Amino acid sequence: FSTALALFFNGVRKGGLPLVTPFPPEYQCPSRMTEGRSMPVREALKQHGRQGAVFVDARVKASYDKGHIKDAISLPYSFLDAVPPEAVDRLSKYRWIVVYCNTEREERSRLMAGELSEAGLHEVSYLEGGFLEWVKVGGPYTGQKPPGYEQ
């Protein structure tokens, strides 16, 4: 009862006390993460198999093992951990890098492509529609069709 009474009087009192402490600046993220450039699936089909191009599967290894774009490399991406320097070095030998996943709005691949660009890699894009769209338009793949695929 006393809590409710205190809240009531604080609410009607002129210049009442703030009930929520502002979020301290030291806990805020320093900047918003950069997102990569998008690549329509038709354009990606032209890149596939091209000398100097690589497709990177940002999904978890289990999803990659079930099915993936033909010749893609698996590099699972976590929003919490930076892409390892060894992976950036490995990808630096490619001229075009297309990152894909299969989540709604391509969050994982958009952010990974942005992080790879910030790491100094050039011509990094994310695949619009991910693995699902790739299979729908007839792109070459290995394994099973992705969840949500309908003929």
Short mmCIF file of all heavy atoms in Angstrom, two decimals, residues 55-91:
data_model
loop_
_atom_site.label_atom_id
_atom_site.label_comp_id
_atom_site.label_asym_id
_atom_site.label_seq_id
_atom_site.Cartn_x
_atom_site.Cartn_y
_atom_site.Cartn_z
N PHE A 55 31.70 -17.42 -52.43
CA PHE A 55 30.46 -17.32 -51.67
C PHE A 55 30.75 -17.81 -50.26
O PHE A 55 31.38 -18.86 -50.08
CB PHE A 55 29.35 -18.15 -52.32
CG PHE A 55 28.74 -17.48 -53.51
CD1 PHE A 55 29.45 -17.37 -54.71
CD2 PHE A 55 27.47 -16.93 -53.45
CE1 PHE A 55 28.91 -16.74 -55.81
CE2 PHE A 55 26.91 -16.29 -54.55
CZ PHE A 55 27.64 -16.20 -55.72
N VAL A 56 30.31 -17.06 -49.27
CA VAL A 56 30.55 -17.37 -47.87
C VAL A 56 29.22 -17.61 -47.19
O VAL A 56 28.34 -16.75 -47.18
CB VAL A 56 31.30 -16.21 -47.17
CG1 VAL A 56 31.50 -16.51 -45.69
CG2 VAL A 56 32.64 -15.95 -47.85
N ASP A 57 29.07 -18.80 -46.62
CA ASP A 57 27.85 -19.17 -45.89
C ASP A 57 28.02 -18.75 -44.44
O ASP A 57 28.88 -19.27 -43.72
CB ASP A 57 27.65 -20.69 -45.98
CG ASP A 57 26.29 -21.13 -45.50
OD1 ASP A 57 25.80 -20.57 -44.49
OD2 ASP A 57 25.72 -22.04 -46.12
N ALA A 58 27.22 -17.79 -44.00
CA ALA A 58 27.33 -17.24 -42.65
C ALA A 58 26.48 -18.00 -41.63
O ALA A 58 26.50 -17.67 -40.45
CB ALA A 58 26.91 -15.77 -42.66
N ARG A 59 25.75 -19.02 -42.07
CA ARG A 59 24.88 -19.78 -41.18
C ARG A 59 25.70 -20.72 -40.30
O ARG A 59 26.88 -20.96 -40.53
CB ARG A 59 23.86 -20.59 -41.99
CG ARG A 59 23.01 -19.73 -42.91
CD ARG A 59 22.14 -20.57 -43.82
NE ARG A 59 22.96 -21.46 -44.65
CZ ARG A 59 22.51 -22.57 -45.21
NH1 ARG A 59 21.26 -22.94 -45.05
NH2 ARG A 59 23.32 -23.32 -45.95
N VAL A 60 25.04 -21.30 -39.31
CA VAL A 60 25.71 -22.27 -38.45
C VAL A 60 26.13 -23.48 -39.27
O VAL A 60 25.53 -23.78 -40.31
CB VAL A 60 24.81 -22.70 -37.26
CG1 VAL A 60 24.53 -21.53 -36.33
CG2 VAL A 60 23.52 -23.32 -37.75
N LYS A 61 27.15 -24.17 -38.82
CA LYS A 61 27.75 -25.28 -39.57
C LYS A 61 26.71 -26.37 -39.87
O LYS A 61 26.73 -26.96 -40.95
CB LYS A 61 28.92 -25.86 -38.76
CG LYS A 61 29.67 -26.97 -39.45
CD LYS A 61 30.64 -26.42 -40.47
CE LYS A 61 31.64 -27.46 -40.93
NZ LYS A 61 31.25 -28.19 -42.11
N ALA A 62 25.80 -26.64 -38.97
CA ALA A 62 24.78 -27.67 -39.19
C ALA A 62 23.90 -27.34 -40.40
O ALA A 62 23.56 -28.21 -41.19
CB ALA A 62 23.92 -27.85 -37.95
N SER A 63 23.56 -26.07 -40.57
CA SER A 63 22.76 -25.65 -41.74
C SER A 63 23.57 -25.78 -43.02
O SER A 63 23.06 -26.23 -44.04
CB SER A 63 22.30 -24.20 -41.58
OG SER A 63 21.42 -24.08 -40.49
N TYR A 64 24.82 -25.40 -42.95
CA TYR A 64 25.71 -25.53 -44.11
C TYR A 64 25.82 -27.00 -44.52
O TYR A 64 25.76 -27.33 -45.70
CB TYR A 64 27.09 -24.97 -43.76
CG TYR A 64 28.14 -25.18 -44.82
CD1 TYR A 64 28.27 -24.30 -45.88
CD2 TYR A 64 29.02 -26.27 -44.77
CE1 TYR A 64 29.24 -24.48 -46.86
CE2 TYR A 64 29.99 -26.46 -45.75
CZ TYR A 64 30.09 -25.57 -46.78
OH TYR A 64 31.05 -25.76 -47.75
N ASP A 65 25.98 -27.88 -43.54
CA ASP A 65 26.13 -29.31 -43.83
C ASP A 65 24.88 -29.91 -44.48
O ASP A 65 24.99 -30.83 -45.29
CB ASP A 65 26.48 -30.08 -42.55
CG ASP A 65 27.89 -29.78 -42.06
OD1 ASP A 65 28.72 -29.30 -42.86
OD2 ASP A 65 28.15 -30.03 -40.87
N LYS A 66 23.71 -29.38 -44.15
CA LYS A 66 22.47 -29.88 -44.75
C LYS A 66 22.35 -29.49 -46.21
O LYS A 66 21.84 -30.24 -47.02
CB LYS A 66 21.25 -29.35 -43.99
CG LYS A 66 21.02 -30.03 -42.67
CD LYS A 66 19.78 -29.48 -42.00
CE LYS A 66 19.59 -30.11 -40.64
NZ LYS A 66 18.45 -29.52 -39.93
N GLY A 67 22.79 -28.30 -46.55
CA GLY A 67 22.72 -27.82 -47.93
C GLY A 67 23.29 -26.42 -48.02
O GLY A 67 23.13 -25.62 -47.10
N HIS A 68 23.98 -26.14 -49.13
CA HIS A 68 24.60 -24.83 -49.31
C HIS A 68 24.85 -24.57 -50.80
O HIS A 68 24.77 -25.48 -51.62
CB HIS A 68 25.91 -24.72 -48.54
CG HIS A 68 26.92 -25.77 -48.91
ND1 HIS A 68 26.98 -27.00 -48.29
CD2 HIS A 68 27.88 -25.80 -49.86
CE1 HIS A 68 27.94 -27.72 -48.83
NE2 HIS A 68 28.51 -27.01 -49.79
N ILE A 69 25.16 -23.32 -51.11
CA ILE A 69 25.51 -22.95 -52.48
C ILE A 69 26.77 -23.72 -52.86
O ILE A 69 27.70 -23.82 -52.07
CB ILE A 69 25.72 -21.43 -52.59
CG1 ILE A 69 24.38 -20.70 -52.39
CG2 ILE A 69 26.33 -21.05 -53.94
CD1 ILE A 69 24.48 -19.19 -52.38
N LYS A 70 26.76 -24.25 -54.07
CA LYS A 70 27.89 -25.05 -54.54
C LYS A 70 29.19 -24.25 -54.43
O LYS A 70 29.24 -23.09 -54.83
CB LYS A 70 27.65 -25.49 -55.99
CG LYS A 70 28.67 -26.46 -56.49
CD LYS A 70 28.32 -26.95 -57.88
CE LYS A 70 29.32 -28.03 -58.23
NZ LYS A 70 29.85 -27.95 -59.51
N ASP A 71 30.20 -24.87 -53.88
CA ASP A 71 31.55 -24.32 -53.71
C ASP A 71 31.65 -23.19 -52.68
O ASP A 71 32.69 -22.54 -52.58
CB ASP A 71 32.14 -23.83 -55.04
CG ASP A 71 32.25 -24.94 -56.08
OD1 ASP A 71 32.54 -26.09 -55.69
OD2 ASP A 71 32.02 -24.66 -57.26
N ALA A 72 30.61 -22.97 -51.91
CA ALA A 72 30.66 -21.94 -50.87
C ALA A 72 31.51 -22.44 -49.70
O ALA A 72 31.62 -23.64 -49.47
CB ALA A 72 29.26 -21.61 -50.37
N ILE A 73 32.11 -21.49 -48.99
CA ILE A 73 32.85 -21.87 -47.79
C ILE A 73 32.00 -21.52 -46.57
O ILE A 73 31.24 -20.56 -46.59
CB ILE A 73 34.23 -21.21 -47.73
CG1 ILE A 73 34.13 -19.69 -47.73
CG2 ILE A 73 35.12 -21.68 -48.86
CD1 ILE A 73 35.47 -19.00 -47.50
N SER A 74 32.14 -22.33 -45.54
CA SER A 74 31.39 -22.11 -44.31
C SER A 74 32.20 -21.23 -43.37
O SER A 74 33.35 -21.54 -43.05
CB SER A 74 31.07 -23.45 -43.64
OG SER A 74 30.44 -23.23 -42.40
N LEU A 75 31.59 -20.14 -42.93
CA LEU A 75 32.20 -19.26 -41.95
C LEU A 75 31.07 -18.73 -41.06
O LEU A 75 30.56 -17.64 -41.28
CB LEU A 75 32.93 -18.11 -42.65
CG LEU A 75 33.75 -17.16 -41.79
CD1 LEU A 75 34.81 -17.91 -40.99
CD2 LEU A 75 34.39 -16.10 -42.66
N PRO A 76 30.65 -19.57 -40.09
CA PRO A 76 29.52 -19.16 -39.24
C PRO A 76 29.78 -17.81 -38.57
O PRO A 76 30.88 -17.55 -38.08
CB PRO A 76 29.45 -20.28 -38.19
CG PRO A 76 30.10 -21.45 -38.85
CD PRO A 76 31.18 -20.87 -39.72
N TYR A 77 28.77 -16.96 -38.61
CA TYR A 77 28.90 -15.61 -38.08
C TYR A 77 28.08 -15.46 -36.82
O TYR A 77 26.92 -15.85 -36.76
CB TYR A 77 28.43 -14.60 -39.12
CG TYR A 77 28.52 -13.17 -38.66
CD1 TYR A 77 29.77 -12.57 -38.49
CD2 TYR A 77 27.39 -12.43 -38.39
CE1 TYR A 77 29.87 -11.26 -38.06
CE2 TYR A 77 27.48 -11.12 -37.96
CZ TYR A 77 28.72 -10.53 -37.81
OH TYR A 77 28.82 -9.23 -37.38
N SER A 78 28.70 -14.88 -35.81
CA SER A 78 28.02 -14.56 -34.56
C SER A 78 27.97 -13.05 -34.43
O SER A 78 28.98 -12.37 -34.67
CB SER A 78 28.79 -15.17 -33.38
OG SER A 78 28.32 -14.63 -32.17
N PHE A 79 26.84 -12.54 -34.00
CA PHE A 79 26.69 -11.11 -33.82
C PHE A 79 27.59 -10.61 -32.68
O PHE A 79 27.96 -9.46 -32.64
CB PHE A 79 25.24 -10.74 -33.48
CG PHE A 79 24.28 -11.13 -34.55
CD1 PHE A 79 23.46 -12.23 -34.40
CD2 PHE A 79 24.18 -10.39 -35.71
CE1 PHE A 79 22.57 -12.60 -35.40
CE2 PHE A 79 23.29 -10.75 -36.71
CZ PHE A 79 22.48 -11.85 -36.55
N LEU A 80 27.95 -11.51 -31.78
CA LEU A 80 28.70 -11.13 -30.60
C LEU A 80 30.21 -11.16 -30.78
O LEU A 80 30.93 -10.46 -30.09
CB LEU A 80 28.32 -12.05 -29.43
CG LEU A 80 26.83 -12.09 -29.10
CD1 LEU A 80 26.55 -13.10 -28.01
CD2 LEU A 80 26.33 -10.71 -28.69
N ASP A 81 30.70 -11.99 -31.69
CA ASP A 81 32.13 -12.13 -31.89
C ASP A 81 32.53 -11.56 -33.24
O ASP A 81 31.85 -11.75 -34.23
CB ASP A 81 32.54 -13.60 -31.83
CG ASP A 81 32.19 -14.24 -30.50
OD1 ASP A 81 32.38 -13.59 -29.46
OD2 ASP A 81 31.71 -15.39 -30.50
N ALA A 82 33.67 -10.93 -33.27
CA ALA A 82 34.19 -10.39 -34.53
C ALA A 82 34.64 -11.54 -35.43
O ALA A 82 34.96 -12.63 -34.95
CB ALA A 82 35.37 -9.47 -34.24
N VAL A 83 34.63 -11.30 -36.73
CA VAL A 83 35.15 -12.29 -37.67
C VAL A 83 36.64 -12.45 -37.35
O VAL A 83 37.36 -11.45 -37.25
CB VAL A 83 34.95 -11.83 -39.13
CG1 VAL A 83 35.59 -12.81 -40.09
CG2 VAL A 83 33.48 -11.66 -39.44
N PRO A 84 37.11 -13.69 -37.16
CA PRO A 84 38.51 -13.90 -36.81
C PRO A 84 39.47 -13.36 -37.87
O PRO A 84 39.18 -13.44 -39.07
CB PRO A 84 38.64 -15.42 -36.70
CG PRO A 84 37.26 -15.96 -36.70
CD PRO A 84 36.36 -14.94 -37.29
N PRO A 85 40.61 -12.83 -37.46
CA PRO A 85 41.59 -12.30 -38.41
C PRO A 85 42.04 -13.34 -39.44
O PRO A 85 42.30 -12.99 -40.59
CB PRO A 85 42.77 -11.86 -37.53
CG PRO A 85 42.20 -11.70 -36.17
CD PRO A 85 41.04 -12.63 -36.07
N GLU A 86 42.11 -14.62 -39.03
CA GLU A 86 42.50 -15.67 -39.98
C GLU A 86 41.49 -15.78 -41.12
O GLU A 86 41.85 -16.02 -42.26
CB GLU A 86 42.59 -17.05 -39.30
CG GLU A 86 43.29 -17.14 -37.98
CD GLU A 86 42.43 -16.75 -36.79
OE1 GLU A 86 41.42 -17.41 -36.47
OE2 GLU A 86 42.79 -15.73 -36.17
N ALA A 87 40.22 -15.61 -40.80
CA ALA A 87 39.17 -15.68 -41.83
C ALA A 87 39.28 -14.48 -42.77
O ALA A 87 39.12 -14.63 -43.98
CB ALA A 87 37.79 -15.72 -41.18
N VAL A 88 39.57 -13.31 -42.23
CA VAL A 88 39.73 -12.12 -43.06
C VAL A 88 40.93 -12.32 -44.00
O VAL A 88 40.85 -12.03 -45.20
CB VAL A 88 39.91 -10.84 -42.20
CG1 VAL A 88 40.24 -9.64 -43.06
CG2 VAL A 88 38.65 -10.59 -41.37
N ASP A 89 42.02 -12.86 -43.45
CA ASP A 89 43.21 -13.14 -44.29
C ASP A 89 42.87 -14.14 -45.39
O ASP A 89 43.29 -13.98 -46.53
CB ASP A 89 44.36 -13.69 -43.44
CG ASP A 89 44.97 -12.63 -42.55
OD1 ASP A 89 44.76 -11.42 -42.81
OD2 ASP A 89 45.65 -13.00 -41.58
N ARG A 90 42.12 -15.17 -45.04
CA ARG A 90 41.74 -16.20 -46.02
C ARG A 90 40.90 -15.61 -47.15
O ARG A 90 41.07 -15.96 -48.31
CB ARG A 90 40.96 -17.30 -45.30
CG ARG A 90 40.50 -18.43 -46.17
CD ARG A 90 39.77 -19.46 -45.35
NE ARG A 90 39.19 -20.48 -46.18
CZ ARG A 90 38.24 -21.30 -45.78
NH1 ARG A 90 37.77 -21.25 -44.55
NH2 ARG A 90 37.75 -22.19 -46.60
N LEU A 91 40.01 -14.69 -46.80
CA LEU A 91 39.13 -14.09 -47.80
C LEU A 91 39.80 -12.97 -48.60
O LEU A 91 39.31 -12.60 -49.67
CB LEU A 91 37.86 -13.55 -47.13
CG LEU A 91 36.94 -14.61 -46.51
CD1 LEU A 91 35.82 -13.93 -45.72
CD2 LEU A 91 36.38 -15.52 -47.57
#
